[in-house]
Amino acid sequence: MDVLKRNHVHVIGDQGPVLMFAHGFGCNQDMWNRITPAFKTSHRQVLFDYVGSGQSDLTTFDVTRYSHLSGYAQDILEICDALGFESGITLIGHSVSSSIGLLASIARPDLFNRLILVGPNPCFLNVPPDYRGGFERQDLEDLLALMDQNYIGWANYLGPMASGETQSGIEVEPVSRRLTDSFCTTDPVAAKVFAQATFFADNRADLDQVTTPSLILQHRHDALVPIEVGEYMHRKLRNSTLQVLDIAGHCGHMSHPSLIVSAIRAYLPEPERVS
C-alpha cells in the first residue's frame, strides 16, 4: 500500500527538525496553511489527511479500523514509517488529533520529542461529578442524528460553533464558512464514523501513560472545550505546559494564527526557533 498517497501526504522542506500537523474532525491539512509559512525556512513540515478526510484515498476507508481513535493514530505511525522517521518529531494536533497524537506517542514514545495540543479534549462528555467535557450524551446523540437527517444542516450548525462566530461576531465568519465547506465536502459515511469516534471517546485514562512532553494550548472561550478541560489535562499529563490563549472558538490556528505561531515558537527549543 502507498501510505503517502493514501493519506495525501505533503512535505514542505527537506531539512531541519520535523513538525507534523494533524487536523481535527471534519477538516483537512489545508486548515494549517496560516501556520506553516512561519516555519518554512526552519523545519521540515509534514501535512496529511486522515483516511476519509480531505483528499485521502477513500477506497481505503475501513469502518472497523476508523471506528476508534487508535485507527487514526495508526495512520500517523504508518506515515512516519513511510517517510523513514525514527525520532525527533514534534506533533501538532488540533482537537481530536490531540488525543490521537497522545495515543501515537504511547505506542511509539521514541518517535516523538514533544506534542503541541491545540484545543484538546480527552472526553467531550460530561462525567459527573468530577469531569465536565462540555456535552451531555443526549446533546451528542442529537448532533449525530442531525447528520443522518440533514447533513448540510448539521454542517451549517457545527461550523459557526467551532469557529467561535456565535461568540465573537463576523470577524471569524470566513473561518466559519471554511469549516462548513470542509464538513460539507467530507464523505458523509466516513464523517459519521469519525464523529462517533471523536465525540464518544474517553481517553482520560490514557493521559497517565504519556511520557512525551506536551504544550496544551487552551482557547479561553471555546464552545467545544471548557477551560476546565485544559486545567484537567495539565494536572494529568506529566511534563506538560498549559497556555491559555485569548481566543474565542475552537480553531485558533485558523482564526488567530499569530497567537498559535508565537506559542509554538516559544515552546520549541532555542535552535529550532525561527529567527
Side-chain angles (χ1 to χ4, degrees):
M1 178 188 299
D2 186 343
V3 171
L4 303 184
K5 178 180 179 182
R6 182 192 70 184
N7 290 95
H8 192 59
V9 176
H10 180 209
V11 179
I12 303 172
D14 56 7
Q15 59 184 355
V18 175
L19 299 180
M20 187 175 193
F21 295 89
H23 65 78
F25 162 73
C27 297
N28 58 68
Q29 61 183 270
D30 292 342
M31 274 51 181
W32 295 107
N33 65 8
R34 299 189 71 187
I35 303 297
T36 54
F39 303 96
K40 186 176 181 180
T41 61
S42 60
H43 289 75
R44 187 179 184 189
Q45 301 181 87
V46 178
L47 300 106
F48 67 94
D49 298 327
Y50 290 117
V51 173
S53 301
Q55 298 185 56
S56 65
D57 183 356
L58 190 59
T59 66
T60 64
F61 185 80
D62 180 87
V63 172
T64 300
R65 169 168 170 158
Y66 295 110
S67 292
H68 305 279
L69 297 187
S70 58
Y72 302 90
Q74 192 61 36
D75 274 17
I76 289 177
L77 297 178
E78 290 175 0
I79 292 167
C80 291
D81 289 341
L83 291 172
F85 298 153
E86 298 181 353
S87 63
I89 297 172
T90 294
L91 179 66
I92 303 173
H94 172 237
S95 191
V96 68
S97 272
S98 297
S99 293
I100 294 169
L102 292 172
L103 293 176
S105 76
I106 293 170
R108 299 270 295 278
D110 293 342
L111 194 56
F112 303 98
N113 275 8
R114 63 192 65 79
L115 306 170
I116 297 177
L117 314 175
V118 183
N121 194 338
C123 179
F124 284 91
L125 288 167
N126 297 327
V127 186
D130 300 322
Y131 183 80
R132 187 170 80 92
F135 295 88
E136 298 298 331
R137 179 170 290 274
Q138 189 60 53
D139 295 333
L140 295 178
E141 290 178 349
D142 290 345
L143 184 62
L144 293 181
L146 181 60
M147 291 182 74
D148 290 331
Q149 299 162 8
N150 182 356
Y151 189 76
I152 301 301
W154 162 82
N156 284 319
Y157 169 78
L158 191 60
M161 177 189 293
S163 71
E165 180 182 334
T166 55
Q167 296 166 277
S168 58
I170 61 172
E171 66 270 16
V172 293
E173 185 179 349
V175 176
S176 175
R177 288 198 304 268
R178 192 172 176 193
L179 286 169
T180 300
D181 289 345
S182 179
F183 295 155
C184 287
T185 55
T186 301
D187 177 78
V189 173
K192 179 70 175 291
V193 171
F194 199 2
Q196 291 174 320
T198 295
F199 292 114
F200 291 112
D202 186 350
N203 295 106
R204 290 176 297 159
D206 297 307
L207 301 181
D208 289 338
Q209 302 178 54
V210 177
T211 58
T212 306
S214 60
L215 171 65
I216 302 162
L217 296 180
Q218 170 76 42
H219 300 2
R220 190 176 299 280
H221 305 288
D222 188 339
L224 274 66
V225 184
I227 198 162
E228 298 96 321
V229 171
E231 296 166 350
Y232 174 88
M233 293 192 70
H234 181 40
R235 291 196 302 271
K236 295 293 184 178
L237 283 173
R238 283 172 283 172
N239 302 315
S240 67
T241 300
L242 172 63
Q243 185 171 352
V244 179
L245 300 177
D246 193 17
I247 292 174
H250 187 57
C251 303
H253 57 307
M254 300 171 68
S255 62
H256 297 77
S258 62
L259 294 182
I260 300 296
V261 167
S262 294
I264 293 173
R265 282 177 169 167
Y267 185 66
L268 293 176
E270 187 70 38
E272 296 188 27
R273 295 185 191 175
V274 178
S275 60

